[in-house]
Amino acid sequence: MKRAWIVAAGILAALLVLAGPAKSFFTDVALSQNNEISSGKFDIAISRDGSRFYNDLKLFEFSNLKPGDERTLTFYIKNRGDTDVSRLTMVLHVSDLEDGSMSPAEKAVDNTTDVGELSEYLIVKELKVYLGDDSWEIEWTKDKSLKELNGKEIGLLKEPLKEDEVLKVTMTVEFSKKAGNECQTDKVVVDMKLNAEQ
Ligand SMILES: [Ca+2]
Ligand SMILES: [Ca+2]
């Protein structure tokens, strides 16, 4: 008789333990379902050619530039979510490197062996955005060097980017003729971060 009571108590305790987590589990599920409904799917991705889109992608590599050379970088941004993007900014993180050993001409004028000088002479000539039949230029970036634009937030949108819409961005950069020998064989690495807001 005494033994049976102990067993019963044991079962009761076990049920209480199970009931606790089970109850809060249901509460959690209900809450996260609500969260999903209210926030929707928010996702942007980038592409080099507008056909396949990725969350992370190397967009360009320009090598052996000479002063006076101009290059245009084109890329695409897609709203893959189901929520409008009303604000989309691009931030360039520019790192200046000395690429390998210096040439004698460079050595004569460059006394910083671990920091490159190139980004100062890479000048944005045009930054343009295309959406459908519309297009606009981001005027304030014109004639700014990559060094000056480093870390700055560049707003790209004029109107919201809707679900499945694709934005095309072109950026033309000129290697300034003012660049001297201190830039020979220097390298600039640009990381681009796109921030989308609802
Ligand atoms: Ca240097
Ligand atoms: Ca240099």
Side-chain angles (χ1 to χ4, degrees):
M1 188 64 198
K2 195 178 183 185
R3 194 177 160 190
W5 193 86
I6 289 166
V7 170
I11 289 167
L12 187 66
L15 284 175
L16 280 174
V17 168
L18 285 174
K23 196 186 171 202
S24 60
F25 176 68
F26 283 131
T27 309
D28 283 342
V29 168
L31 277 176
S32 63
Q33 276 176 337
N34 282 339
N35 283 339
E36 272 183 30
I37 289 164
S38 62
S39 68
K41 191 172 159 234
F42 199 62
D43 182 21
I44 57 161
I46 50 175
S47 167
R48 260 188 291 253
D49 55 10
S51 57
R52 293 195 67 183
F53 284 83
Y54 306 86
N55 283 320
D56 195 343
L57 175 72
K58 181 177 175 178
L59 284 173
F60 62 99
E61 183 171 323
F62 301 140
S63 43
N64 295 322
L65 288 188
K66 289 165 194 65
D69 282 355
E70 216 175 75
R71 294 286 185 278
T72 298
L73 153 75
T74 302
F75 61 95
Y76 299 81
I77 306 166
K78 184 177 187 176
N79 182 355
R80 291 205 287 204
D82 51 22
T83 307
D84 286 5
V85 171
S86 63
R87 190 163 182 265
L88 180 64
T89 60
M90 172 173 86
V91 179
L92 304 175
H93 296 281
V94 181
S95 312
D96 268 298
L97 308 169
E98 293 290 345
D99 193 15
S101 59
M102 290 186 183
S103 66
E106 182 179 9
K107 228 174 205 163
V109 288
D110 185 349
N111 57 13
T112 54
T113 52
D114 52 346
V115 186
E117 288 70 36
L118 185 54
S119 74
E120 206 178 327
Y121 299 100
L122 292 174
I123 311 296
V124 172
K125 304 311 286 182
E126 190 190 67
L127 177 58
K128 211 166 172 186
V129 183
Y130 302 80
L131 178 58
D133 297 330
D134 203 3
S135 69
W136 55 93
E137 215 183 310
I138 314 295
E139 299 277 354
W140 69 268
T141 61
K142 198 176 170 66
D143 296 326
K144 294 260 190 327
S145 68
L146 289 188
K147 190 175 183 163
E148 288 173 289
L149 293 175
N150 182 24
K152 298 239 164 70
E153 266 201 339
I154 303 169
L156 297 176
L157 292 181
K158 206 175 70 170
E159 52 201 85
L161 188 65
K162 298 193 183 74
E163 181 182 350
D164 282 332
E165 277 187 334
V166 173
L167 201 72
K168 180 184 166 189
V169 180
T170 62
M171 185 162 81
T172 301
V173 176
E174 186 202 52
F175 185 16
S176 170
K177 287 186 181 120
K178 289 177 197 147
N181 284 340
E182 74 272 23
C183 294
Q184 279 188 22
T185 72
D186 280 10
K187 182 158 96 176
V188 167
V189 176
V190 180
D191 289 327
M192 187 175 79
K193 198 174 169 194
L194 296 162
N195 299 301
E197 288 170 32
Q198 204 182 326

